[in-house]
Coordinates of all heavy atoms in Angstrom, one line a residue:
P1371 N 137.4 77.3 229.9 CA 136.8 77.3 228.6 C 135.4 76.9 228.7 O 135.0 76.2 229.6 CB 137.6 76.3 227.8 CG 138.1 75.4 228.9 CD 138.2 76.1 230.1
C1372 N 134.5 77.3 227.7 CA 133.1 76.9 227.7 C 133.0 75.4 227.3 O 134.0 74.8 226.9 CB 132.3 77.8 226.8 SG 132.6 77.4 225.0
S1373 N 131.8 74.9 227.4 CA 131.7 73.4 227.1 C 131.6 73.2 225.6 O 132.2 72.2 225.1 CB 130.3 72.9 227.7 OG 130.2 73.4 229.0
G1374 N 131.0 74.1 224.9 CA 131.1 74.1 223.4 C 130.9 72.8 222.7 O 131.5 72.5 221.7
I1375 N 129.9 72.0 223.2 CA 129.6 70.7 222.5 C 129.2 70.9 221.1 O 128.3 71.7 220.8 CB 128.5 69.9 223.3 CG1 128.9 69.7 224.7 CG2 128.2 68.6 222.6 CD1 130.1 68.8 225.0
G1376 N 129.9 70.3 220.2 CA 129.5 70.4 218.8 C 130.0 71.6 218.1 O 129.5 71.9 217.0
K1377 N 130.8 72.4 218.7 CA 131.3 73.6 218.1 C 132.8 73.6 218.0 O 133.5 73.4 219.0 CB 131.0 74.8 219.0 CG 129.5 74.9 219.3 CD 128.8 76.0 218.5 CE 127.4 76.2 219.0 NZ 126.7 77.2 218.3
A1378 N 133.3 73.8 216.8 CA 134.8 73.7 216.6 C 135.5 74.8 217.5 O 136.6 74.6 218.0 CB 135.1 73.9 215.2
Y1379 N 134.9 76.0 217.6 CA 135.6 77.0 218.3 C 135.6 76.7 219.8 O 136.5 77.2 220.6 CB 134.9 78.4 218.0 CG 135.2 78.9 216.6 CD1 134.2 79.2 215.8 CD2 136.5 78.9 216.1 CE1 134.4 79.6 214.5 CE2 136.7 79.3 214.8 CZ 135.7 79.6 214.0 OH 135.9 79.9 212.7
G1380 N 134.6 76.0 220.3 CA 134.6 75.6 221.7 C 135.7 74.6 221.9 O 136.4 74.7 222.9
E1381 N 135.9 73.7 221.0 CA 137.0 72.7 221.1 C 138.3 73.4 221.1 O 139.2 73.0 221.8 CB 136.8 71.7 219.9 CG 137.9 70.6 219.9 CD 137.9 69.8 221.2 OE1 136.9 69.7 221.9 OE2 139.0 69.2 221.5
R1384 N 139.1 74.9 224.4 CA 139.5 73.9 225.4 C 140.9 73.4 225.1 O 141.7 73.3 226.0 CB 138.5 72.7 225.4 CG 137.2 72.9 226.1 CD 136.4 71.7 226.3 NE 136.0 71.1 225.0 CZ 135.1 71.6 224.3 NH1 134.4 72.6 224.6 NH2 134.8 71.0 223.1
L1404 N 133.6 73.5 233.8 CA 132.7 74.6 234.0 C 131.4 74.1 234.8 O 130.8 74.8 235.6 CB 132.3 75.2 232.7 CG 131.6 76.5 232.7 CD1 132.5 77.6 233.3 CD2 131.2 76.9 231.2
V1426 N 137.2 81.6 228.3 CA 137.4 81.4 226.9 C 136.2 80.9 226.3 O 135.8 79.7 226.6 CB 138.6 80.5 226.6 CG1 138.9 80.5 225.1 CG2 139.9 80.9 227.3
D1427 N 135.5 81.7 225.5 CA 134.2 81.2 225.0 C 134.2 81.0 223.5 O 134.9 81.7 222.8 CB 133.1 82.3 225.3 CG 132.5 82.1 226.7 OD1 132.0 81.0 227.0 OD2 132.7 83.1 227.5
G1428 N 133.5 80.0 223.1 CA 133.5 79.6 221.7 C 132.6 80.4 220.8 O 132.7 80.4 219.6
C1429 N 131.6 81.2 221.4 CA 130.8 82.0 220.6 C 130.2 83.2 221.5 O 130.5 83.2 222.7 CB 129.7 81.2 219.9 SG 128.3 80.8 221.1
A1430 N 129.4 84.0 220.9 CA 128.9 85.2 221.5 C 128.0 84.9 222.7 O 127.6 85.8 223.4 CB 128.3 86.1 220.5
H1431 N 127.6 83.7 222.9 CA 126.7 83.4 224.0 C 127.5 83.5 225.4 O 126.9 83.7 226.4 CB 126.1 81.9 223.9 CG 125.0 81.8 222.9 ND1 123.8 82.5 223.1 CD2 125.0 81.2 221.7 CE1 123.1 82.2 222.0 NE2 123.8 81.4 221.2
D1432 N 128.8 83.4 225.3 CA 129.6 83.7 226.5 C 129.3 82.9 227.7 O 129.2 83.4 228.8 CB 129.6 85.2 226.8 CG 130.4 86.1 225.9 OD1 131.2 85.5 225.1 OD2 130.1 87.3 225.8
C1433 N 129.0 81.6 227.5 CA 128.6 80.7 228.6 C 129.6 80.6 229.7 O 129.1 80.6 230.9 CB 128.3 79.3 228.1 SG 126.9 79.3 226.8
A1434 N 130.8 80.6 229.4 CA 131.8 80.5 230.5 C 131.8 81.7 231.3 O 131.8 81.7 232.5 CB 133.2 80.2 229.9
Ligands
SF4_1825 S1 129.8 80.0 224.4 FE1 128.9 79.1 222.5 S2 130.2 77.4 222.0 FE2 130.5 77.9 224.2 S3 129.1 76.6 225.4 FE3 128.1 78.5 225.0 S4 126.9 78.2 223.1 FE4 128.4 76.6 223.2

Side-chain angles (χ1 to χ4, degrees):
C1372 73
S1373 319
I1375 302 296
K1377 306 257 190 184
Y1379 293 125
E1381 180 59 24
R1384 282 190 299 283
L1404 195 62
V1426 185
D1427 278 301
C1429 77
H1431 285 294
D1432 288 341
C1433 298

